[in-house]
Structure formats: structure tokens, C-alpha cells
Amino acid sequence: MATAAAASASEAEAEPKAEGEEAEAKEARTRRKVLSRAVAAATYKTVGPEWDQQEEGVSESDGDEEYAMASSAESSPGEYEWEYDEEEKNQLEIERLEEQLSINVYDYNCHVDLIRLLRLEGELTKVRMARQKMSEIFPLTEELWLEWLHDEISMALDGLDREHVYDLFEKAVKDYICPNIWLEYGQYSVGGIGQKGGLEKVRSVFERALSSVGLHMTKGLAIWEAYREFESAIVEAARPIAGFLSPFDREQTFDSQLEKVHSLFRRQLAIPLYDMEATFAEYEEWSEDPIPESVIQNYNKALQQLEKYKPYEETLLQAEAPRLAEYQAYIDFEMKIGDPARIQLIFERALVENCLVPDLWIRYSQYLDRQLKVKDLVLSVHSRAVRNCPWTVALWSRYLLAMERHGVDHRVISVTFEKALSAGFIQATDYVEIWQAYLDYLRRRVDFKQDSSKELEELRSAFARALEYLKQEVEERFSESGDPSCLIMQNWARIEARLCNNMQKARELWDSIMTKGNAKYANMWLEYYNLERAHGDTQHCRKALHRAVQCTSDYPEHVCEVLLTMERTEGTLEDWDIAVQKTETRLARVNEQRIKAAEKEAALAQQEEEKVEQRKRARAEKKALKKKKKTRGSDKSRADEDDEKEWGDDAEEQPSKRRRVENSVPPAGEAELGPEADPGLSGSSAPAAAEPPSEQKEQRAATRRRDVPRVLHDSSKDGVTVFVSNLPYGLREPAATLRPLFEACGDVVEVRPIFSNRGDFRGYCYVEFKEEAVALRALELDRQTVEGRPMFVSPCVDKSKNPDFKVFRYSTALEKHKLFVSGLPFSCTKEELEEICKAHGTVKDIRLVTNRAGKPKGLAYVEYENESQASQAVLKMDGMTIKENVIKVAISNPPQRKAPEKPEARKAPGVAVVPRQIYGARGKGRTQLSLLPRALQRPSATAAQAENGPAPPPAATEVPKMSNADFAKLLLRK
């Protein structure tokens, strides 16, 4: 290839310009042809002989002819035009991918697609550069490495190319444990046996392969056999000339080589591997001497060990990837046995399929830090961990500690810390943690016996930079610094006071801490007091406690007690009098504030109770009025029936409106629930018992109910029944509409829609199936749209027996791979949002949040394939504008909803016990004032009755309004 390039260059200088351009084009086509052949060879090697070369058109016999025919002028115009269009399309896609990577270099799929297209186009230089860039950012999988290696092996022409391939193999075996790559490495090194040091190179590669994967019970056998075949081939090559050698030369060459093969057999038979029996039989056949008893004992011992490991290996073979739970059980088993080599191997095997699980990396690195303590191994694992999970701050902190523990150069540690800052953590507190780890490392470097040193100045500048970084970078991104308690500043102040004897600087830092909203907390003042107590003087201690008494709002009694204790021990009479006066004044003010707060809370509680009583009276009055109208209507109906009997009219000729009511009685015993009954949260409830009605009520009820048998809900069938709610109230035939939907899951026994006494559909029903498995499948229909409204499908559970049962299909905990998007325009569709999100990673699912009517709320949840993609999406999408709406994007972490507390009474001196108001899940509002205009407030019960008819006289006179002073007198009267 280099010769062809040189020839092309010389022709370009000697011939005219047109011929030079033609030569360059020919050279480019030749390069593409060579790479295409390499791709074909690699594909054939990977897929195997089943791949039909004749169908693909890359057979070695006619490859040159096909290439010549494709490049000649005899090609048909249609074929040439099609190839040109396809090539132009690929070039445009390559440009798009390169532009996308310039924006987001952490787009894994974009790297893979770019390498694939460049490989198809035969761009040798570009595909090498693309692979090199990807390998610098991400660890490559076994498949990507093998593809790269096969391409480079196919184009290696001289010794320099072979060294380049060796370097690639060294990089490949460092990313993950890959038996196939080690096997390729050993086989490729055999091809360079003729070079200087080639034999030693082959043996070195195979020995390293055995150390890495030789214990692999299912894939280690191939490495052992390849190594043995290589050594056996040398024996067979030396056997013909062994008889002509002197005894000394024979011992030095042939016998020593024969002993190498024996040694490989013995080492392999001492390790529990699959197909050990076949290896033992092969050794018996190959060996001219009887097998030693020690080898047989080791072989039997390995067989016994194999039986212990087989259950775990078989579990892995039967399970599906990523098999994390199976690997965890295997790791626990190996940890109990305690063999370091096997523990390391099982960790490496688990990480191949679970490389994005930070907890697994943490457990592996922790084992290496505490048990093996081998520098190169420990640092290699830590480095790989942060490359696989760069968003996990715990891995970076452990990496810095490991580098310090093994004496890594300070500049290297500083560079690693800078990489950690740019890793893109998903929480503000993560940045505080990584800064604390780095500052702790810098503090341990300082020799505080010296008044001033380079390390001390570096530590102080790092503290200042940390505070500035949290204030600007972190607070701008997360709207918080992540350090509300100023832990970094507290640590700095302690170092200045205790180690540097610089109390002036420590006091300045504590003043800054208090100005950041911490002055109201007693513990912050006591920390400052203790620091002054240990390294300051009494005057500053007294000053700090006086300020604490005035500022503390959470535990002022405790601060006052500390001040009085100090003055009782060290102060003068004047100091004692001042302290007593200040503490009494402060505590009196605090008690006054608490009394006012209790009065306000009592007033709010009384107002709430009055509102509840008003609502109860309004409902009672409305119910009485409705009952009165109902009685009048029934009397009028009886009068009409008497008239019909008197005049002899047929009932069918005068259809009554009650006929519709008669055909609308709820089946399944729903009529017995009464008009005010309501089902449980997501299931059936026992029918309420009713008093036996009079004969007249039974006759009137019979005229309104359907002529269908009553079927009570059988709670014993809850396992095969689902509860369907949020259905449209205007659904005419609910059973006929819902049955086809649920029959897609399995056999449906019955669909029982629930109707009111008037015959109106109440928006929910029960669906009973033949089998419980079908009912579980039916739960997947939850949120499916029925006539424009999302249908809620939940298990049928009796709420009276399970009061705490709730159904919510989505997680309410922190999910680092899922994003919460707010501020979306209501017109934004799922497809439009997916098109925006997939530019930052692989989108697994998108859920647009809607209300009960199916209308969008401007919120969405976007689930990515892993945490890294989600963190990058937050950085790129937060603050983005979509259809003139600025959206907010954050990691999904819903706030924990607290159950409403029971009303409690707050006891204060001189204050009566008043029930505390129960607030909602979001707690007490800032003002508790009604901000709704009077014109929009709900009309009172009296006004509502006036609209429907004559209002009855009010039940009670209106209570005059009372001022806060009146309430105080009322409370203090007792």
C-alpha cells in the first residue's frame, strides 16, 4: 500500500495535471478496495463458512475482475447513478454525525454509526481517527474491538504495522475481560514468531492470557488448548532431528520443550474447567509415561471443585443478560471461599454485562483496596470504573483516595480531579462531595509545622476556588449551591484555627457562614462557640453567645442556657446581670411570639370547623329539600295513575319518562348501595345494609328498577377481577364497548358496569375473567384511551379490608436514568418530544402526563438507557425553548408525600389546648389567606336553595365577626 502511494505520487509529479488527478483518484479507489477486502475477510472470519461469498460478491477469485468492471466505462449508466446517489447519501449522513459529535462528544450511538459508515465508504484514515476518539472517551465492547483488530490485521504489511496491531491488542485487553480477544492476540502473535524475540512474545501473550481468563470455566479451555497446540507444534517440529543431537543438546532443546507441554497439561488439569475429562484422556494418550499420582490427585480435586461451581455456571447459562442477580450470588459464593484470582475473575465477568452499574464497581474496587492492594491492578480498576460510570461521584472520590494511597504524582491527581469536575454529576451535592475529597487530599499534603509553604497556599487557593465554583457553576446549573450548611467553609475555618493558629481568618469565615442564612440555627452558633472556646478567648466566646441569643429561632432556650453556664463559671457579676437580662428579654419575646402563633392557629382551626359545620348544614338542607320534592313528585305520579285508570287509557300508549329509569337499574347489587354509596379506592366494597322500606317505597322502587336479577359482587373472585374507572359518563353501552378491549387479554366472564338509581352510568365497572393470569395481563390496558378519556385499570381490592392499599404504577423514588420535563406546550406530542430527546441518547420510553380527562398538563417523563445519557440530556435540554415555551429538565426525583398528621394540640403557657389544623401533603401555605375573588366564590347553601325553590328558614343566626383581641380574651378566659 505504501509502495502504491509512492508510485502514485511520482506519477503525479511527472505527468500533466489531469493525469495526476486521475492517479490520485485511482489511489483512493485502491485504498477503498483494500479496506473493503479487509471488511469482507473480517466478516467471513466472524460469521464463519456459512456466509456465502458468491452471493455477496466478494470472492477472492474474481474480486479484481469485479473491481475492474465496476471502475471501467462499460458500467451501465443506471448502476453508476445508483452508486453515486448512495455514496452521496452516505457522505451527507457522515457530515451530520460529525456535526452531532462536535456538539455532544458523549453520544455513544453516534460514534458507532459514524464508524460503520466510514468503514463502508472505505475511509481508512477517518475510520481510524473515529475509532481512536471513541476509545479515548468510552471503553469499547468486545465486538467493536474485534472488528477494529480484524481490519488492522488485514492491512498490516510490515513490522511497523504489526507493532501497531500489538498496541491495539494491549488497549483492547484493558477495557474488559474478553477471552476471544486474548485468543486472537495469541494466534496473531504466532504469526510473528520469525521476528526477533517472536517466540518469547508468543509465550508471554499466552501466559498473560492464562492469568487473565485461564480460570474461566466455560471459555478458558480455548486459551489452554491454543497454548498447548503451539508448544506441541514446536515439539513435533523438533522430533525428527532429536535423534541426531548430543545428550546435552537434546536435554536443552527437545526434552525441555517436551516438559513445557507436560507442564501445561498438569496446570490445566489442576483447575476446574468444563470438559476436564476430555483433557485428561488426551493427556493419557499423548504422554508416553504414566501420569504421576500427584497429577491425578490434583485432577480429582479439581473435579470436586467443578461440582461446587456447576450450579452457579448453569444458572448463568439459563438466565438472560445482564444477569446481575445471578452474578451477585456467584460473587458472594467466591468471597466465602476467598481465592483472590477467582474473585477477581467473577467480578470481571459480571462487569462485562453490567458495566453501567456503579454499585458493582464500588464493591469490586473496595475489595481490591482492602484485600489485594496491588497498585497497578487497583488503579486500573478505578480508572475503568470512572470511564464506565463518570456520573457517579463515589467512584471519583475512591479513585482520588486510591491514587493518594499508592503515591501517585500530585499533578496526575490534580488532572484526575479536573476530569471529575467535567464529568457531569446529576446533583449539586455531588460537587460538594468531590471538592471535599480533593481538599482533604490537599490538607494531608501540608506540613503545618512551617508557618508558610507552597502546599498551604495551594490549599487556601483551592478552598477559595471551591467556594467560587459552587457559587457560580453549580448554583447556576442547579439553582442551589449544594452546600446550604457551608460545610466546606466550616472545614476551612477549623483548619485555620486549629492547624494554622489564624483565628482572625476563622472568625471572618464564620461571619460569612452566618450571613448565608445560618444565623437562626442554634447548632451553628454552638459550633462557632466551641471553636472560640478551644482556640480563641473568653471575650469572643461571650460575644458569639450574645449574638446567638438574639438571632437563634429554633432552640433559643438551649443557647441561653449555654450563655448562663459560661457566665456562672467565668463571668463577673456585671457579666451575669447582662446575661440574665438578655436571656429573660429574649425568652419573653419568644413566648409572646408563640402565644400569638397559637392564637392564630386556634383561630384558623375554629374557622375551618365553622366551614365544616356550614357545609354539613348545607348538605342536610339540600337533602331535605330534595326529599320534599321527591315526595311531591310521587304524589303527582299516583294522581296521574288514578286518572289513567279512571279514563281507561293503556299504559303503553302513554310512555312515561320512568320507563328509562326502569331500564337503568344497576346490576350486581349496586342498587343496594344507595345513592350516596361510593366504591372503594380500586375495588369492591361490601353492600351497605339498609332498613326495610315500607310497602309504598318498595312499589315506587320497583317501578324505577330494571327487570334484571340482582348480582352481588363476590369478593372471593377479586383475584380474577379488575376494577375499571375514569370511563366517560356518556358511554351508552359500557359492557359492549369494553368487552372487545379486554377479550384481547383472554376469556371474559362478565363486564358489570355500575349505574346510579336514575339509570346513569357512574363511570366505572368490574371485569371478571376466567383465570388470574388473564386479569394480570388486563392491568396492562391501564391508561388506554376510551372515547378520548384515559381508562384506569387496577386490581380489585376491598378497601374496607385493605385500607392502605394503593395502586400507582410508576416509581416515586429517585431514578437517575429518567428525566422530569416541565413547561411543555400543551400541543407538544410524544413523537415531537422523542425527536428532541433522542439526540442525546437512546430513549426507552416517554410518558406525557395528563389529567383524568386525558388533556395534557405540560409535563413528561423521559426514560433513557442509562444514567450517563440522562445526565447529558439534562445539561443540553434544560432551558430549551419548544414552541415559545421554556422547558425545565431535571432528574426524576418526586417529592415524598407525607401522610396528614392527626390533629394535635400545642401547649403553651396560659393558652388553652386547641386542635391543630390539618394541612395537605404540601404543608402549610405561606399565607393561609383566600385569594379567590368574591365573585368567583361558591354561593352559600341558602343561595343555592333559593335558586331551586323557596328556601327554608336559616338554621342558626350568623355569628358576628371577632377580632384577634376577642379571640385572645376567649382563649384566656379559662
Side-chain angles (χ1 to χ4, degrees), residues 658-686:
R658 292 192 302 272
R659 186 178 303 277
R660 176 174 171 270
V661 179
E662 289 177 5
N663 297 329
S664 304
V665 173
E670 184 62 23
E672 296 163 357
L673 293 175
E676 301 297 329
D678 194 15
L681 174 67
S682 58
S684 63
S685 62

PDB file of all heavy atoms in Angstrom, residues 658-686:
ATOM      1  N   ARG A 658     -90.440   7.455  33.328  1.00  0.00           N
ATOM      2  CA  ARG A 658     -89.896   6.481  34.274  1.00  0.00           C
ATOM      3  C   ARG A 658     -89.474   5.191  33.602  1.00  0.00           C
ATOM      4  O   ARG A 658     -88.763   4.401  34.176  1.00  0.00           O
ATOM      5  CB  ARG A 658     -90.938   6.175  35.354  1.00  0.00           C
ATOM      6  CG  ARG A 658     -91.223   7.331  36.275  1.00  0.00           C
ATOM      7  CD  ARG A 658     -92.011   6.850  37.464  1.00  0.00           C
ATOM      8  NE  ARG A 658     -93.256   6.221  37.077  1.00  0.00           N
ATOM      9  CZ  ARG A 658     -94.391   6.887  36.906  1.00  0.00           C
ATOM     10  NH1 ARG A 658     -94.420   8.195  37.065  1.00  0.00           N
ATOM     11  NH2 ARG A 658     -95.503   6.271  36.583  1.00  0.00           N
ATOM     12  N   ARG A 659     -89.932   4.970  32.330  1.00  0.00           N
ATOM     13  CA  ARG A 659     -89.547   3.735  31.652  1.00  0.00           C
ATOM     14  C   ARG A 659     -88.034   3.687  31.448  1.00  0.00           C
ATOM     15  O   ARG A 659     -87.402   2.660  31.551  1.00  0.00           O
ATOM     16  CB  ARG A 659     -90.277   3.653  30.306  1.00  0.00           C
ATOM     17  CG  ARG A 659     -90.047   2.323  29.592  1.00  0.00           C
ATOM     18  CD  ARG A 659     -90.839   2.292  28.302  1.00  0.00           C
ATOM     19  NE  ARG A 659     -92.253   2.517  28.536  1.00  0.00           N
ATOM     20  CZ  ARG A 659     -93.094   1.571  28.901  1.00  0.00           C
ATOM     21  NH1 ARG A 659     -92.646   0.337  29.113  1.00  0.00           N
ATOM     22  NH2 ARG A 659     -94.360   1.818  29.094  1.00  0.00           N
ATOM     23  N   ARG A 660     -87.427   4.858  31.166  1.00  0.00           N
ATOM     24  CA  ARG A 660     -85.977   4.900  31.016  1.00  0.00           C
ATOM     25  C   ARG A 660     -85.265   4.593  32.331  1.00  0.00           C
ATOM     26  O   ARG A 660     -84.243   3.948  32.393  1.00  0.00           O
ATOM     27  CB  ARG A 660     -85.549   6.288  30.521  1.00  0.00           C
ATOM     28  CG  ARG A 660     -84.042   6.471  30.413  1.00  0.00           C
ATOM     29  CD  ARG A 660     -83.749   7.813  29.791  1.00  0.00           C
ATOM     30  NE  ARG A 660     -82.331   8.092  29.862  1.00  0.00           N
ATOM     31  CZ  ARG A 660     -81.735   8.720  30.867  1.00  0.00           C
ATOM     32  NH1 ARG A 660     -82.481   9.116  31.886  1.00  0.00           N
ATOM     33  NH2 ARG A 660     -80.450   8.959  30.865  1.00  0.00           N
ATOM     34  N   VAL A 661     -85.887   5.043  33.408  1.00  0.00           N
ATOM     35  CA  VAL A 661     -85.321   4.749  34.720  1.00  0.00           C
ATOM     36  C   VAL A 661     -85.431   3.278  35.037  1.00  0.00           C
ATOM     37  O   VAL A 661     -84.559   2.670  35.634  1.00  0.00           O
ATOM     38  CB  VAL A 661     -86.015   5.600  35.789  1.00  0.00           C
ATOM     39  CG1 VAL A 661     -85.464   5.298  37.160  1.00  0.00           C
ATOM     40  CG2 VAL A 661     -85.850   7.089  35.452  1.00  0.00           C
ATOM     41  N   GLU A 662     -86.544   2.670  34.611  1.00  0.00           N
ATOM     42  CA  GLU A 662     -86.724   1.245  34.891  1.00  0.00           C
ATOM     43  C   GLU A 662     -85.657   0.408  34.220  1.00  0.00           C
ATOM     44  O   GLU A 662     -85.216  -0.601  34.757  1.00  0.00           O
ATOM     45  CB  GLU A 662     -88.105   0.787  34.404  1.00  0.00           C
ATOM     46  CG  GLU A 662     -89.260   1.312  35.222  1.00  0.00           C
ATOM     47  CD  GLU A 662     -90.586   0.886  34.643  1.00  0.00           C
ATOM     48  OE1 GLU A 662     -90.560   0.116  33.666  1.00  0.00           O
ATOM     49  OE2 GLU A 662     -91.627   1.292  35.155  1.00  0.00           O
ATOM     50  N   ASN A 663     -85.191   0.817  33.041  1.00  0.00           N
ATOM     51  CA  ASN A 663     -84.201   0.041  32.307  1.00  0.00           C
ATOM     52  C   ASN A 663     -82.771   0.425  32.668  1.00  0.00           C
ATOM     53  O   ASN A 663     -81.841   0.078  31.977  1.00  0.00           O
ATOM     54  CB  ASN A 663     -84.407   0.249  30.797  1.00  0.00           C
ATOM     55  CG  ASN A 663     -85.753  -0.259  30.347  1.00  0.00           C
ATOM     56  OD1 ASN A 663     -86.265  -1.202  30.925  1.00  0.00           O
ATOM     57  ND2 ASN A 663     -86.327   0.368  29.324  1.00  0.00           N
ATOM     58  N   SER A 664     -82.621   1.204  33.737  1.00  0.00           N
ATOM     59  CA  SER A 664     -81.281   1.679  34.084  1.00  0.00           C
ATOM     60  C   SER A 664     -80.890   1.325  35.499  1.00  0.00           C
ATOM     61  O   SER A 664     -80.165   2.039  36.152  1.00  0.00           O
ATOM     62  CB  SER A 664     -81.197   3.207  33.907  1.00  0.00           C
ATOM     63  OG  SER A 664     -81.552   3.557  32.593  1.00  0.00           O
ATOM     64  N   VAL A 665     -81.446   0.280  36.020  1.00  0.00           N
ATOM     65  CA  VAL A 665     -81.100  -0.121  37.386  1.00  0.00           C
ATOM     66  C   VAL A 665     -79.760  -0.844  37.369  1.00  0.00           C
ATOM     67  O   VAL A 665     -79.509  -1.668  36.502  1.00  0.00           O
ATOM     68  CB  VAL A 665     -82.209  -1.028  37.967  1.00  0.00           C
ATOM     69  CG1 VAL A 665     -81.777  -1.577  39.312  1.00  0.00           C
ATOM     70  CG2 VAL A 665     -83.477  -0.231  38.109  1.00  0.00           C
ATOM     71  N   PRO A 666     -78.865  -0.556  38.287  1.00  0.00           N
ATOM     72  CA  PRO A 666     -77.547  -1.202  38.272  1.00  0.00           C
ATOM     73  C   PRO A 666     -77.630  -2.663  38.635  1.00  0.00           C
ATOM     74  O   PRO A 666     -78.289  -3.037  39.588  1.00  0.00           O
ATOM     75  CB  PRO A 666     -76.762  -0.419  39.330  1.00  0.00           C
ATOM     76  CG  PRO A 666     -77.805   0.127  40.228  1.00  0.00           C
ATOM     77  CD  PRO A 666     -79.011   0.382  39.399  1.00  0.00           C
ATOM     78  N   PRO A 667     -76.995  -3.509  37.854  1.00  0.00           N
ATOM     79  CA  PRO A 667     -76.922  -4.932  38.223  1.00  0.00           C
ATOM     80  C   PRO A 667     -75.897  -5.135  39.305  1.00  0.00           C
ATOM     81  O   PRO A 667     -75.250  -4.209  39.766  1.00  0.00           O
ATOM     82  CB  PRO A 667     -76.496  -5.591  36.916  1.00  0.00           C
ATOM     83  CG  PRO A 667     -75.697  -4.530  36.231  1.00  0.00           C
ATOM     84  CD  PRO A 667     -76.327  -3.225  36.592  1.00  0.00           C
ATOM     85  N   ALA A 668     -75.673  -6.384  39.625  1.00  0.00           N
ATOM     86  CA  ALA A 668     -74.651  -6.821  40.596  1.00  0.00           C
ATOM     87  C   ALA A 668     -74.844  -6.181  41.950  1.00  0.00           C
ATOM     88  O   ALA A 668     -73.904  -5.867  42.654  1.00  0.00           O
ATOM     89  CB  ALA A 668     -73.253  -6.533  40.078  1.00  0.00           C
ATOM     90  N   GLY A 669     -76.113  -5.963  42.323  1.00  0.00           N
ATOM     91  CA  GLY A 669     -76.375  -5.479  43.671  1.00  0.00           C
ATOM     92  C   GLY A 669     -76.006  -4.045  43.901  1.00  0.00           C
ATOM     93  O   GLY A 669     -75.950  -3.582  45.023  1.00  0.00           O
ATOM     94  N   GLU A 670     -75.758  -3.276  42.841  1.00  0.00           N
ATOM     95  CA  GLU A 670     -75.360  -1.882  43.038  1.00  0.00           C
ATOM     96  C   GLU A 670     -76.504  -1.041  43.550  1.00  0.00           C
ATOM     97  O   GLU A 670     -76.293  -0.033  44.216  1.00  0.00           O
ATOM     98  CB  GLU A 670     -74.833  -1.318  41.689  1.00  0.00           C
ATOM     99  CG  GLU A 670     -74.294   0.091  41.760  1.00  0.00           C
ATOM    100  CD  GLU A 670     -73.101   0.180  42.676  1.00  0.00           C
ATOM    101  OE1 GLU A 670     -72.451  -0.847  42.898  1.00  0.00           O
ATOM    102  OE2 GLU A 670     -72.842   1.274  43.187  1.00  0.00           O
ATOM    103  N   ALA A 671     -77.754  -1.442  43.247  1.00  0.00           N
ATOM    104  CA  ALA A 671     -78.893  -0.661  43.718  1.00  0.00           C
ATOM    105  C   ALA A 671     -78.953  -0.642  45.229  1.00  0.00           C
ATOM    106  O   ALA A 671     -79.453   0.290  45.832  1.00  0.00           O
ATOM    107  CB  ALA A 671     -80.191  -1.237  43.159  1.00  0.00           C
ATOM    108  N   GLU A 672     -78.411  -1.674  45.857  1.00  0.00           N
ATOM    109  CA  GLU A 672     -78.489  -1.736  47.305  1.00  0.00           C
ATOM    110  C   GLU A 672     -77.452  -0.861  47.977  1.00  0.00           C
ATOM    111  O   GLU A 672     -77.430  -0.719  49.175  1.00  0.00           O
ATOM    112  CB  GLU A 672     -78.319  -3.192  47.761  1.00  0.00           C
ATOM    113  CG  GLU A 672     -79.476  -4.051  47.254  1.00  0.00           C
ATOM    114  CD  GLU A 672     -79.123  -5.519  47.340  1.00  0.00           C
ATOM    115  OE1 GLU A 672     -78.004  -5.812  47.732  1.00  0.00           O
ATOM    116  OE2 GLU A 672     -79.968  -6.338  47.018  1.00  0.00           O
ATOM    117  N   LEU A 673     -76.544  -0.277  47.171  1.00  0.00           N
ATOM    118  CA  LEU A 673     -75.548   0.590  47.772  1.00  0.00           C
ATOM    119  C   LEU A 673     -76.136   1.937  48.139  1.00  0.00           C
ATOM    120  O   LEU A 673     -75.583   2.665  48.943  1.00  0.00           O
ATOM    121  CB  LEU A 673     -74.361   0.794  46.814  1.00  0.00           C
ATOM    122  CG  LEU A 673     -73.516  -0.452  46.552  1.00  0.00           C
ATOM    123  CD1 LEU A 673     -72.486  -0.136  45.513  1.00  0.00           C
ATOM    124  CD2 LEU A 673     -72.871  -0.942  47.822  1.00  0.00           C
ATOM    125  N   GLY A 674     -77.233   2.319  47.536  1.00  0.00           N
ATOM    126  CA  GLY A 674     -77.853   3.600  47.840  1.00  0.00           C
ATOM    127  C   GLY A 674     -77.261   4.705  47.005  1.00  0.00           C
ATOM    128  O   GLY A 674     -76.182   4.592  46.436  1.00  0.00           O
ATOM    129  N   PRO A 675     -77.947   5.827  46.887  1.00  0.00           N
ATOM    130  CA  PRO A 675     -77.461   6.913  46.043  1.00  0.00           C
ATOM    131  C   PRO A 675     -76.200   7.561  46.564  1.00  0.00           C
ATOM    132  O   PRO A 675     -75.465   8.155  45.810  1.00  0.00           O
ATOM    133  CB  PRO A 675     -78.639   7.897  46.036  1.00  0.00           C
ATOM    134  CG  PRO A 675     -79.385   7.608  47.304  1.00  0.00           C
ATOM    135  CD  PRO A 675     -79.243   6.144  47.531  1.00  0.00           C
ATOM    136  N   GLU A 676     -75.921   7.484  47.861  1.00  0.00           N
ATOM    137  CA  GLU A 676     -74.752   8.150  48.408  1.00  0.00           C
ATOM    138  C   GLU A 676     -73.557   7.211  48.535  1.00  0.00           C
ATOM    139  O   GLU A 676     -72.511   7.618  49.002  1.00  0.00           O
ATOM    140  CB  GLU A 676     -75.083   8.733  49.803  1.00  0.00           C
ATOM    141  CG  GLU A 676     -76.210   9.726  49.793  1.00  0.00           C
ATOM    142  CD  GLU A 676     -75.873  10.954  48.951  1.00  0.00           C
ATOM    143  OE1 GLU A 676     -74.686  11.296  48.884  1.00  0.00           O
ATOM    144  OE2 GLU A 676     -76.779  11.546  48.375  1.00  0.00           O
ATOM    145  N   ALA A 677     -73.740   5.927  48.200  1.00  0.00           N
ATOM    146  CA  ALA A 677     -72.641   4.970  48.373  1.00  0.00           C
ATOM    147  C   ALA A 677     -71.596   5.189  47.309  1.00  0.00           C
ATOM    148  O   ALA A 677     -71.874   5.606  46.210  1.00  0.00           O
ATOM    149  CB  ALA A 677     -73.180   3.541  48.298  1.00  0.00           C
ATOM    150  N   ASP A 678     -70.374   4.867  47.648  1.00  0.00           N
ATOM    151  CA  ASP A 678     -69.260   5.052  46.719  1.00  0.00           C
ATOM    152  C   ASP A 678     -68.335   3.858  46.863  1.00  0.00           C
ATOM    153  O   ASP A 678     -68.057   3.437  47.979  1.00  0.00           O
ATOM    154  CB  ASP A 678     -68.517   6.342  47.047  1.00  0.00           C
ATOM    155  CG  ASP A 678     -67.589   6.735  45.909  1.00  0.00           C
ATOM    156  OD1 ASP A 678     -67.746   6.191  44.822  1.00  0.00           O
ATOM    157  OD2 ASP A 678     -66.724   7.578  46.159  1.00  0.00           O
ATOM    158  N   PRO A 679     -67.816   3.315  45.776  1.00  0.00           N
ATOM    159  CA  PRO A 679     -66.940   2.153  45.898  1.00  0.00           C
ATOM    160  C   PRO A 679     -65.614   2.543  46.505  1.00  0.00           C
ATOM    161  O   PRO A 679     -65.306   3.700  46.690  1.00  0.00           O
ATOM    162  CB  PRO A 679     -66.765   1.700  44.439  1.00  0.00           C
ATOM    163  CG  PRO A 679     -66.998   2.937  43.646  1.00  0.00           C
ATOM    164  CD  PRO A 679     -68.009   3.728  44.403  1.00  0.00           C
ATOM    165  N   GLY A 680     -64.819   1.519  46.799  1.00  0.00           N
ATOM    166  CA  GLY A 680     -63.520   1.754  47.414  1.00  0.00           C
ATOM    167  C   GLY A 680     -62.567   2.386  46.432  1.00  0.00           C
ATOM    168  O   GLY A 680     -62.909   2.808  45.344  1.00  0.00           O
ATOM    169  N   LEU A 681     -61.304   2.443  46.858  1.00  0.00           N
ATOM    170  CA  LEU A 681     -60.302   3.096  46.034  1.00  0.00           C
ATOM    171  C   LEU A 681     -60.138   2.428  44.693  1.00  0.00           C
ATOM    172  O   LEU A 681     -60.169   3.059  43.656  1.00  0.00           O
ATOM    173  CB  LEU A 681     -58.956   3.084  46.781  1.00  0.00           C
ATOM    174  CG  LEU A 681     -57.762   3.598  46.001  1.00  0.00           C
ATOM    175  CD1 LEU A 681     -57.960   5.088  45.745  1.00  0.00           C
ATOM    176  CD2 LEU A 681     -56.481   3.345  46.749  1.00  0.00           C
ATOM    177  N   SER A 682     -59.955   1.132  44.673  1.00  0.00           N
ATOM    178  CA  SER A 682     -59.802   0.440  43.400  1.00  0.00           C
ATOM    179  C   SER A 682     -60.351  -0.968  43.538  1.00  0.00           C
ATOM    180  O   SER A 682     -59.691  -1.943  43.280  1.00  0.00           O
ATOM    181  CB  SER A 682     -58.329   0.388  43.009  1.00  0.00           C
ATOM    182  OG  SER A 682     -57.615  -0.266  44.018  1.00  0.00           O
ATOM    183  N   GLY A 683     -61.571  -1.097  43.968  1.00  0.00           N
ATOM    184  CA  GLY A 683     -62.160  -2.418  44.086  1.00  0.00           C
ATOM    185  C   GLY A 683     -63.524  -2.360  44.687  1.00  0.00           C
ATOM    186  O   GLY A 683     -64.158  -1.329  44.800  1.00  0.00           O
ATOM    187  N   SER A 684     -63.993  -3.529  45.095  1.00  0.00           N
ATOM    188  CA  SER A 684     -65.361  -3.641  45.585  1.00  0.00           C
ATOM    189  C   SER A 684     -65.416  -3.331  47.060  1.00  0.00           C
ATOM    190  O   SER A 684     -64.437  -3.374  47.777  1.00  0.00           O
ATOM    191  CB  SER A 684     -65.853  -5.064  45.342  1.00  0.00           C
ATOM    192  OG  SER A 684     -65.059  -5.964  46.086  1.00  0.00           O
ATOM    193  N   SER A 685     -66.571  -3.009  47.538  1.00  0.00           N
ATOM    194  CA  SER A 685     -66.827  -2.849  48.962  1.00  0.00           C
ATOM    195  C   SER A 685     -68.126  -3.553  49.290  1.00  0.00           C
ATOM    196  O   SER A 685     -69.001  -3.712  48.451  1.00  0.00           O
ATOM    197  CB  SER A 685     -66.921  -1.358  49.328  1.00  0.00           C
ATOM    198  OG  SER A 685     -68.005  -0.762  48.649  1.00  0.00           O
ATOM    199  N   ALA A 686     -68.266  -3.999  50.504  1.00  0.00           N
ATOM    200  CA  ALA A 686     -69.453  -4.762  50.884  1.00  0.00           C
ATOM    201  C   ALA A 686     -70.683  -3.891  50.785  1.00  0.00           C
ATOM    202  O   ALA A 686     -70.667  -2.703  51.113  1.00  0.00           O
ATOM    203  CB  ALA A 686     -69.288  -5.278  52.313  1.00  0.00           C
TER     204      ALA A 686
END
